Amino acid sequence: MKNQSKAVYQIKRTYGKWFLTKVKRAIYRYSMITAGDKIAVGVSGGKDSSALLYIMWLLKHYSPLSFDFHAVFLDLGWPVDPAPLASFCRERDIPFHVEQTAIGAIVFEHRREENPCALCAHLRRGALHEAARRLGCNKVALGHHLDDLLQTFLLNWVYTGRLATFTPATHLARSGLVLIRPLIYLPEATLAGVARAENLPVMDNPCPASGKTKREEIRALVGLMAKAYPDIREKFLTAIEKAGWLEPGPDK
């Protein structure tokens, strides 16, 4: 076991079979982490990014992977106190950075876009990548999971007529960074379970558009499909991997 931080934590034996083995399989298959990487882990206070932060900490201390990482929280201007995240990181010696932005005001007060999610996502990506570069990171990790992969495919199919989704590792030519998604093999329910089991810091989403997006509609659709076909997420993953859709590539 690698050097521990101030507090002593014990990894449960069931965690390997439950989620860690799948995370490591995805990382090795898509060459997400190599020795010497410095990774900016985007954290929002949601269950997915908090689970990612915890899993990255486990990988650093309980796997052969050699890397460093920062937790990066984007302050969008909402009344959200990141203190629980800061405390979680402090107890585990994880560097924690708050990036101040005016994204909330730009999206909902100045621009007032009909589709605020697209603009917000674009601005958040830019702010996170800029913070990562300033921190000396060469990679950015996001908490997208298997449900996100399927939902993004359906969103593109239904609303744009494209058969496309994101990839586990993407080279971002403009920023010089590599974007990785280590949780790509895990369903959302697993991450919710990890967050509960470890009492991870999870905060409410204050965004005015929360729960009112097209993605929420697609999430409900996937839930209905899964009732009839419980393994639909895993079958989808198998299909697109066999088709070669998830191979790392440049940002498009």
Side-chain angles (χ1 to χ4, degrees):
M1 185 178 68
K2 299 179 184 179
N3 292 335
Q4 290 283 2
S5 55
K6 290 181 294 186
V8 176
Y9 298 91
Q10 296 297 324
I11 181 173
K12 297 179 182 177
R13 293 182 179 180
T14 57
Y15 282 9
K17 184 176 181 180
W18 185 20
F19 60 87
L20 273 180
T21 297
K22 290 183 178 180
V23 173
K24 288 187 283 189
R25 185 184 304 144
I27 288 173
Y28 287 124
R29 174 162 186 167
Y30 294 105
S31 303
M32 294 187 201
I33 298 176
T34 56
D37 279 344
K38 188 172 182 180
I39 304 169
V41 179
V43 292
S44 64
K47 68 181 187 313
D48 301 335
S49 64
S50 290
L52 172 63
L53 182 63
Y54 173 65
I55 288 171
M56 293 293 284
W57 182 84
L58 289 179
L59 290 172
K60 181 174 174 62
H61 291 283
Y62 294 93
S63 83
L65 294 167
S66 177
F67 65 95
D68 290 316
F69 69 104
H70 273 71
V72 180
F73 175 83
L74 297 183
D75 185 337
L76 306 184
W78 312 125
V80 175
D81 183 1
L85 283 170
S87 177
F88 178 87
C89 290
R90 185 168 54 252
E91 291 172 359
R92 292 161 179 78
D93 284 340
I94 301 171
F96 181 73
H97 172 76
V98 176
E99 183 75 0
Q100 301 290 341
T101 79
I103 292 174
I106 292 172
V107 173
F108 290 98
E109 296 176 22
H110 303 302
R111 294 285 293 271
R112 299 184 180 181
E113 297 271 334
E114 183 176 336
N115 179 14
C117 296
L119 175 61
C120 184
H122 175 74
L123 295 175
R124 284 188 288 113
R125 280 195 300 270
L128 179 58
H129 296 170
E130 179 60 29
R133 287 198 300 267
R134 287 203 316 273
L135 292 169
C137 298
N138 65 312
K139 292 181 178 177
V140 173
L142 299 180
H144 294 139
H145 45 67
L146 181 52
D147 285 69
D148 288 325
L149 188 74
L150 176 52
Q151 290 164 18
T152 300
F153 173 82
L154 292 173
L155 279 165
N156 282 321
W157 179 28
V158 172
Y159 292 107
T160 71
R162 295 186 303 123
L163 297 179
T165 189
F166 53 75
T167 56
T170 306
H171 298 270
L172 306 174
R174 292 182 181 179
S175 64
L177 299 167
V178 176
L179 176 63
I180 62 173
R181 297 175 169 98
L183 309 184
I184 200 74
Y185 284 175
L186 299 181
E188 183 177 12
T190 295
L191 300 178
V194 172
R196 288 193 300 269
E198 289 295 326
N199 194 29
L200 300 180
V202 177
M203 300 179 289
D204 292 334
N205 184 355
C207 175
S210 179
K212 306 172 185 176
T213 64
K214 295 299 183 184
R215 183 172 288 274
E216 290 299 324
E217 295 177 9
I218 295 297
R219 177 179 283 111
L221 174 61
V222 171
L224 289 173
M225 295 167 68
K227 287 183 178 180
Y229 308 101
D231 61 348
I232 190 170
R233 299 171 180 84
E234 290 74 17
K235 289 292 179 59
F236 172 72
L237 176 63
T238 298
I240 61 174
E241 284 197 318
K242 286 183 177 179
W245 286 14
L246 298 187
E247 294 305 316
D251 190 18
K252 299 178 181 178

